[in-house]
Amino acid sequence: MENNKQVVTRFAPSPTGSLHIGGSRTALFNYLYARKHNGRFILRIEDTDKARSSTAFESEIIKAMEWLSLKYDEMYRQSEREEIYKKYIEILLKNDNAYISKEDTGGDENKRSEVIRFKNPNEKVTFDDLIRGEVTFDTSDLGDFIIARSIDEPLYHLTVVVDDKEMGVTHVIRAEEHISNTPRQLLIIRALGFEEPKYAHIPLILAPDKSKLSKRHGAVSTLDYRDKGYLPDAVINYLALLGWNPGTEQEIFSKQELIEFFSISQVQKGGAIFSEEKLSWINKAHLKNLSKIELRDQIQKRINANYKALGKTTEIDESQAEMVRDLFSERISVFCDIDEWQKNGELDFIFNDPNISKEEIVWKDSTIESTILHLNFIEEKLNNLSESEFKYERIKSAIWEYADEKGRGEVLWPFRFALSGQKKSPDPFSLAEVFGRDTTLKRVKNAVILLTK
Ligand code: GLU
């Protein structure tokens, strides 16, 4: 390609299903390449197969691209371009590069109908794939392939060639499964005298067991990841690494960095293995980019949506969401982690005073009597702190020496248990700070009352 020509890439999904992870990766590579070269990125909906295409899938594709912020500069629908294809079919017919063929199309009455076939010159076709290098196909096995059902019903190979030419596409970056379509498309391109675009066939996405990634491996639709609470920037980051690497150790990228570093020559030939574990690790890294307020709002939204889905009218407010954030954000990789905790009741103690079990609040071989003594000591010490002093370090230093002397488990376990009622929860000082003076004192007192009964 001449260097002075503006780069134009396209993402050309058929709206016959939702946009899966592989499709989003193809869109991303086209997007990154265009942005990096100050080019144009086109979305082209390939909906000539009327029976299988639907506008519902088209909107889902667009929604997924919006979610990932893969902004395109132009959008086309093949179903609205039939006149253009017709013009080129006529040229091919006129130049004797194609012909109308009457044939049996099967069906009940074994009807004969017309199709338009491309006159295959039966030659070897070679092209220089930007990822795979020189690729040669002998097209004589392909026969005179069909390019249209009729003059008004063009088929895939023809529409792709015509659109790529009409839209000025310079780089065709698409999934590896299309590599065998390339020789047919090149034959049509050559017959029409078009300039050939550059091709880059990107590697398959495989499941961890190296089979082709499919539904049975879990979520494949891009919007499923939105619904699980992944951050779009994290998904973009991970998709970029499916087949591409920057040649350095860096794994966490902003979209801007991806635009800067992306290069087709760093795309591998072999299949790329999809791992949700890695995706969630990357998501966790991106969560750190959220402000405390964004994090709080997302947590609040998630928890309230979960309540609603469970048929409950409960809602948490901002301050409760802040508590969850302050106690749990380190443990969140993906927002859907919250779902499980919420389902298991692991968050309830934040919103409501816990039900304390008398047996469980007593540390190992300690006794009820000494547990009461410890809790009374804690209550007295914390009572001396004002609301504004009620911070992690102050709370800790008020109790630490005592706990050291009497045994940390002996003292801190009942303290923590009084606050959370959970065998596992954040440490008692964090809990006390997050709950604040009143709730902390109330819960410690409640535990003492229970133990004295
Ligand atoms: N419409 C084709 C598909 O969804 C893509 C065609 C192309 O990228 O050339 O697989």
Side-chain angles (χ1 to χ4, degrees), residues 267-282:
V267 177
Q268 73 200 37
K269 290 196 192 86
I273 292 179
F274 182 84
S275 147
E276 189 157 351
E277 220 174 290
K278 182 77 185 272
L279 171 56
S280 104
W281 178 81
I282 288 180

Side-chain angles (χ1 to χ4, degrees), residues 191-222:
L192 287 167
F194 296 164
E195 194 176 324
E196 296 176 16
K198 296 265 185 216
Y199 290 95
H201 288 93
I202 58 183
L204 284 179
I205 298 181
L206 307 174
D209 65 2
K210 304 230 166 117
S211 62
K212 199 172 172 226
L213 188 69
S214 71
K215 266 231 162 78
R216 74 189 162 89
H217 299 110
V220 284
S221 153
T222 303

Side-chain angles (χ1 to χ4, degrees), residues 164-369:
D164 286 344
K165 144 84 179 164
E166 290 272 324
M167 295 167 192
V169 171
T170 56
H171 292 75
V172 172
I173 302 169
R174 61 186 175 187
E176 184 188 315
E177 66 206 35
H178 288 293
I179 200 159
S180 59
N181 293 327
T182 308
R184 269 176 278 234
Q185 292 167 12
L186 278 168
L187 288 176
I188 303 173
I189 287 173
R190 290 173 189 176
L192 287 167
F194 296 164
E195 194 176 324
E196 296 176 16
K198 296 265 185 216
Y199 290 95
H201 288 93
I202 58 183
L204 284 179
I205 298 181
L206 307 174
D209 65 2
K210 304 230 166 117
S211 62
K212 199 172 172 226
L213 188 69
S214 71
K215 266 231 162 78
R216 74 189 162 89
H217 299 110
V220 284
S221 153
T222 303
L223 291 178
D224 288 346
Y225 289 89
R226 175 198 64 186
D227 297 344
K228 286 188 184 192
Y230 282 90
L231 299 173
D233 282 349
V235 173
I236 289 280
N237 184 162
Y238 181 60
L239 290 178
L241 297 176
L242 280 178
W244 170 79
N245 76 79
T248 64
E249 295 292 299
Q250 186 175 348
E251 293 194 279
I252 304 301
F253 295 90
S254 67
K255 194 194 255 166
Q256 218 35 54
E257 287 174 315
L258 290 174
I259 292 172
E260 192 182 321
F261 298 138
F262 184 75
S263 87
I264 289 188
S265 58
Q266 285 285 120
V267 177
Q268 73 200 37
K269 290 196 192 86
I273 292 179
F274 182 84
S275 147
E276 189 157 351
E277 220 174 290
K278 182 77 185 272
L279 171 56
S280 104
W281 178 81
I282 288 180
N283 196 73
K284 187 166 180 146
H286 280 264
L287 279 175
K288 302 223 163 25
N289 296 334
L290 293 189
S291 69
K292 287 184 88 175
I293 291 179
E294 283 170 315
L295 196 53
R296 175 199 70 196
D297 291 349
Q298 295 268 10
I299 288 171
Q300 189 185 6
K301 225 168 76 190
R302 186 95 200 166
I303 289 180
N304 287 339
N306 283 339
Y307 276 135
K308 207 165 164 195
L310 292 167
K312 294 192 182 159
T313 50
T314 327
E315 282 198 348
I316 63 160
D317 60 23
E318 280 178 3
S319 70
Q320 290 172 309
E322 248 159 47
M323 293 197 224
V324 179
R325 176 197 65 198
D326 294 344
L327 293 174
F328 282 86
S329 65
E330 284 302 317
R331 283 174 55 194
I332 300 176
S333 296
V334 184
F335 287 121
C336 64
D337 292 340
I338 295 173
D339 308 356
E340 200 61 20
W341 303 333
Q342 206 177 345
K343 230 179 22 218
N344 298 337
E346 288 174 57
L347 303 180
D348 291 350
F349 75 91
I350 299 176
F351 317 130
N352 302 301
D353 292 340
N355 284 326
I356 306 291
S357 123
K358 221 169 169 170
E359 287 72 47
E360 285 174 344
I361 194 171
V362 177
W363 173 251
K364 288 185 182 162
D365 38 44
S366 182
T367 61
I368 291 192
E369 290 69 31

Side-chain angles (χ1 to χ4, degrees), residues 102 148 432 439 442:
K102 288 194 198 308
T439 303
K442 181 179 74 181

Side-chain angles (χ1 to χ4, degrees), residues 117-137:
R117 286 186 178 273
F118 181 78
K119 207 181 262 180
N120 188 340
N122 296 321
E123 56 193 28
K124 283 209 169 100
V125 170
T126 297
F127 62 96
D128 205 5
D129 190 278
L130 294 174
I131 295 165
R132 270 140 231 286
E134 198 175 278
V135 180
T136 300
F137 280 92

Side-chain angles (χ1 to χ4, degrees), residues 105-119:
T105 50
D108 294 343
E109 297 138 49
N110 218 8
K111 273 200 228 127
R112 285 170 77 76
S113 74
E114 291 180 357
V115 293
I116 299 172
R117 286 186 178 273
F118 181 78
K119 207 181 262 180

